Amino acid sequence: TGARTIAHLAYTSRRCQTRLLKAHAVEALHQLLNHAPNDPSQPSVSSLAVVCLHALLNLSTIPDGQVIIAKVALHCLVDINQEDDRNYDSFEKMRFTSGILTNLFTNPANRTRFYIAEMREKKR
């Protein structure tokens, strides 16, 4: 899939990461995450979200990627990280979102977004 290709390219070099960010890869991955069915009985469908998260994790290792991902997908990542399923894909999704959120948090430009997300969660 395209998400798998993005994950691989984002792993290869910073130059590729920068080009993917300019090509709006984060936005495309976010769209896939929002539309990926969450059906553990269909591993190929459920693993689409895992592949998207893997790609986002790879893109979250550079500062520009951290800012874009936080702007586009922070609330989605927090929601995924808090899912309560107990299967392999859910474990993988939690592992990837935890890594992404950790990377995003290290960027000072994202502090306000994290504060807003925290206030949103407290209201729930």
Side-chain angles (χ1 to χ4, degrees):
T1 67
R4 196 176 309 277
T5 302
I6 292 171
H8 176 72
L9 289 173
Y11 182 73
T12 58
S13 73
R14 289 200 185 265
R15 196 173 95 227
C16 284
Q17 289 172 323
T18 302
R19 288 182 179 171
L20 287 167
L21 293 174
K22 288 180 182 176
H24 304 284
V26 170
E27 292 83 349
L29 292 165
H30 182 246
Q31 286 292 325
L32 284 171
L33 271 175
N34 281 335
H35 293 92
N38 191 10
D39 186 355
S41 67
Q42 296 181 356
S44 61
V45 173
S46 184
S47 64
L48 171 62
V50 173
V51 173
C52 289
L53 291 168
H54 188 181
L56 287 171
L57 177 63
N58 290 347
L59 289 170
S60 74
T61 60
I62 60 173
D64 289 343
Q66 294 164 352
V67 172
I68 293 169
I69 293 167
K71 183 178 180 182
V72 171
L74 179 60
H75 296 297
C76 177
L77 294 168
V78 169
D79 290 344
I80 291 169
N81 194 261
Q82 293 178 348
E83 286 178 1
D84 209 11
D85 296 338
R86 301 279 186 236
N87 61 47
Y88 179 76
D89 276 353
S90 292
F91 173 76
E92 286 295 294
K93 287 192 285 187
M94 187 182 303
R95 189 170 68 93
F96 284 130
T97 55
S98 295
I100 296 165
L101 291 169
T102 299
N103 289 345
L104 300 183
F105 189 75
T106 63
N107 191 319
N110 291 330
R111 295 290 157 81
T112 301
R113 285 190 179 91
F114 271 90
Y115 177 75
I116 292 168
E118 182 181 355
M119 293 296 108
R120 177 181 162 247
E121 290 304 311
K122 286 183 179 180
K123 286 182 181 178
R124 286 185 169 186

